[in-house]
Amino acid sequence: MKLTILGSGSPEAYARRASSGYLLEIGDDRILFDCGGGVFDNLVRSGRLPSHITHLFFSHLHTDHMMDYARLVHAAWDEGAPPLKVWGPSPIARITEGYFGRDGVLSADLYARTELKPSQEVWLSRGGTLPRPWPAPEVVEISPGFSFEGNGWTLNSCEVPHAQPAFDCMAFSVESGGKKFVYSGDAAICDDLEHLSAGADLLLHWCYRLSGEEVHPALSGMSPTPADIAKMAARADAVRLLISHFRIHMDTEAGHEGARADLRTHFSGPSEIVEDLNEYSI
C-alpha cells in the first residue's frame, strides 16, 4: 500500500495546506479518502488524473472533507472515465443529485456540454461518442460498521464522535498483504477507534489543537491533542503514527516542536506531522 497526502489542513483558507484528502494505492486501485478544497489540485500536482480514482470514501460530510467532490466527478467524466464509485454517509446521495441531477446546480453546464453542437464536436474530436451521458457517480450511502471487499484489500469502519447528530462520522481501516492502514477521519478519542486501530502499521489521525491551548469545553473533549492521540496509538499497539489536519495557528516552528515532543513522549514508534504531497509506503 502507498499513501499520498493530498490535503493535510483544515477549513481555513491556507496556501500551504489543502483541506482533507488522502490517496491510498493498492495494485490498480486508487482509493481516495475525503475530497476537501484543494485536494483536486494536489491530485494533479502529484502526477495523477481525476480519472485514475477508482474508489472514493467519505468519512463525513463537513465541507472541508468534500468541497472538491463535484470538481473531481466532473473532471473525471470529462476525461471519459467510467462513473466514479462513491461511498459515504447520508446525505451524499442527495448532495450528488443536487450537483449532477437534471435540476442540479450544474445542469446548465451539463446541458451545454452534451447538447450544444460546438461542444458535441469538441467531444467527438476527443474520441467521444454521442449521445453523451451526464455524470452519474455510483453512490452508496453507508453507516458506521460498513465493510467492503476490494481486489486484494478489505475495508472496515467504525463510528467516531465529531459532528453528530448532523451526520454520521466514521473512521476507516484498510488491510492488504498483511498490512493495516487506519484513517481516523475527524474523531474524538473513543474505544471503537482504538479497537479499529489495533496493530495498525500506519495510523493517520486528525489533530485540530495543540497541548496547552485554552478552548471551550465543547471543543476540548472532541479534539484530541498530539499527546492524547499518541497515548491512544500506544494503547492500540500501532507501529507508525501520522498526525494531520493542522490549522494555521498550529503551523509554526514552536507548534511543530511541541507536537513532536508530545508524540515522542507518549508513542515509541516513528511519528510525524504530515505535509501535503508526502508519500508513505505501508
Side-chain angles (χ1 to χ4, degrees):
M1 291 188 284
K2 179 181 178 181
L3 174 69
T4 302
I5 309 299
L6 297 181
S8 60
S10 73
E12 299 166 326
Y14 190 21
R16 185 160 172 240
R17 295 182 185 270
S19 295
S20 295
Y22 307 97
L23 178 65
L24 189 67
E25 295 174 279
I26 307 172
D28 293 331
D29 290 339
R30 293 179 173 89
I31 308 156
L32 181 60
F33 292 98
D34 293 335
C35 192
V39 167
F40 179 95
D41 289 329
N42 276 344
L43 175 70
V44 176
R45 290 189 183 103
S46 76
R48 300 165 177 92
L49 294 173
S51 58
H52 290 166
I53 301 301
T54 58
H55 305 72
L56 172 58
F57 292 93
F58 286 110
S59 66
H60 66 291
L61 297 175
H62 268 146
T63 54
D64 60 312
H65 290 251
M66 55 81 65
M67 187 63 81
D68 273 7
Y69 172 46
R71 191 177 181 193
L72 177 70
V73 169
H74 192 288
W77 166 77
D78 199 51
E79 292 176 56
L84 180 63
K85 295 178 171 61
V86 181
W87 292 262
S90 175
I92 188 59
R94 178 165 57 84
I95 290 171
T96 303
E97 180 68 16
Y99 282 134
F100 300 107
R102 290 291 166 174
D103 295 316
V105 296
L106 298 179
S107 59
D109 170 89
L110 296 173
Y111 169 79
R113 294 182 187 277
T114 59
E115 300 298 330
L116 299 188
K117 185 63 174 176
S119 293
Q120 290 179 340
E121 289 302 316
V122 170
W123 177 242
L124 290 170
S125 72
R126 291 163 56 193
T129 59
L130 297 177
R132 188 182 185 187
W134 284 26
E138 297 177 1
V139 175
V140 178
E141 291 197 339
I142 61 176
S143 300
F146 165 81
S147 62
F148 181 81
E149 287 290 335
N151 183 17
W153 53 276
T154 301
L155 177 142
N156 289 294
S157 67
C158 72
E159 183 172 23
V160 293
H162 180 55
Q164 293 87 343
F167 33 65
D168 284 339
C169 303
M170 302 167 66
F172 297 107
S173 70
V174 177
E175 296 184 56
S176 178
K179 299 293 183 179
K180 183 177 182 180
F181 164 71
V182 176
Y183 168 46
S184 72
D186 290 2
I189 299 297
C190 64
D191 290 343
D192 285 347
L193 178 55
E194 185 172 327
H195 177 74
L196 189 73
S197 302
D201 294 279
L202 193 155
L203 169 60
L204 173 66
H205 203 291
W206 90 309
C207 183
Y208 197 65
R209 69 185 178 104
L210 300 174
S211 298
E213 285 190 41
E214 292 186 10
V215 297
H216 191 279
L219 180 60
S220 62
M222 302 299 289
S223 55
T225 66
D228 297 327
I229 296 163
K231 291 174 185 177
M232 186 278 283
R235 293 194 301 270
D237 291 324
V239 175
R240 187 175 190 181
L241 174 61
L242 306 178
I243 58 174
S244 186
H245 211 295
F246 260 44
R247 301 174 67 192
I248 295 173
H249 77 275
M250 301 161 61
D251 224 6
T252 64
E253 184 175 348
H256 280 234
E257 286 180 358
R260 291 190 186 105
D262 281 345
L263 296 176
R264 289 193 301 268
T265 297
H266 300 288
F267 182 74
S268 60
S271 61
E272 63 182 276
I273 303 160
V274 303
E275 304 284 346
D276 284 14
L277 301 179
N278 281 170
E279 295 183 344
Y280 302 91
S281 294
I282 307 168

